[in-house]
Amino acid sequence: NPLDAPGVDPFTVAAQAAERIAEISGVARHDIALTLGSGWGRAAELMGETVATIPATEIPGFSKPALVGHVGTLRSVRLPSGKHALVIGARTHYYEGHGVRRVVHSVRTAAAAGATTMILTNGAGGIKETWTPGTPVLISDHINLTADSPLEGATFIDLTDLYSSRLRGIAREVAPELDEGVYCQFRGPHYETPAEVQMAKAIGGHIVGMSTALEAIAARQAGMEVLGLSLITNLAAGIQKTPLSHEEVIEAGRAAEPVISDLLARVVER
Ligand SMILES: Nc1nc2[nH]c(I)nc2c(=O)[nH]1
């Protein structure tokens, strides 16, 4: 992967990736980009007409998906407004151990492709007991527990209102019932112990996951406006009485898919 070469500039690779996307899709500029996490996969076809479906392996810096079910493709979608959305279905997770550059490459590529809005979605564990599996929630802020950053060198970036209150306002106009919470990114790939979930709660977290925070920081560095949405597919360990199971997670995501994909399509239309 070109991003692994020592001394390579990740923004150069992102520019090459954006160029390739423009070539293959025939779309010179994408106005908005979305990363679809567990349970959000259906949103792409609901939000507009797919102009091109691009295998991630065709694009410099992207890698084959590690998760079964995560189809490693990017889609160029023409929205009813005539704008274009770049839908990224090939997220690289931090726990794959390929380094932060690979984790945030899709965001940097989206910015290089012209996107000024980055919508980050994920599947996550819920700490708030009122959230049942299948509940989508807005991310109001994050706590980055990875002890890592996509920023290199003295790039002191402000992260105030990182999860745009303007975009959250629009989302709530579309779906007033949406709750919100603070997202804690753990390194994973193990789920948290009940004690770690209580720690996350004690430090102000409401959602536990293994993605998104590092991507959001990179999106801010690229000057993009960020909207984050978590699909609560399970209550975090210790919050619910039964042990976590990956099957339960997949099932909850599948059941919620039509609802949240429609929600996302309506938010994007705005
Ligand atoms: N860290 C963490 N990530 C998750 N992703 C999903 I789906 N559920 C969880 C969870 O309970 N904890």
Side-chain angles (χ1 to χ4, degrees), residues 162-181:
L162 176 57
Y163 298 87
S164 164
S165 40
R166 185 184 80 86
L167 292 179
R168 277 183 278 146
I170 291 176
R172 258 195 290 271
E173 280 170 20
V174 167
E177 72 285 357
L178 275 178
D179 197 354
E180 62 178 36

Side-chain angles (χ1 to χ4, degrees), residues 33-67:
L34 303 93
T35 293
L36 300 185
S38 309
W40 297 89
R42 286 272 308 281
E45 61 239 30
L46 291 178
M47 75 179 68
E49 179 208 347
T50 296
V51 172
T53 300
I54 308 161
T57 46
E58 300 268 315
I59 309 295
F62 282 79
S63 49
K64 279 186 285 299
L67 268 185

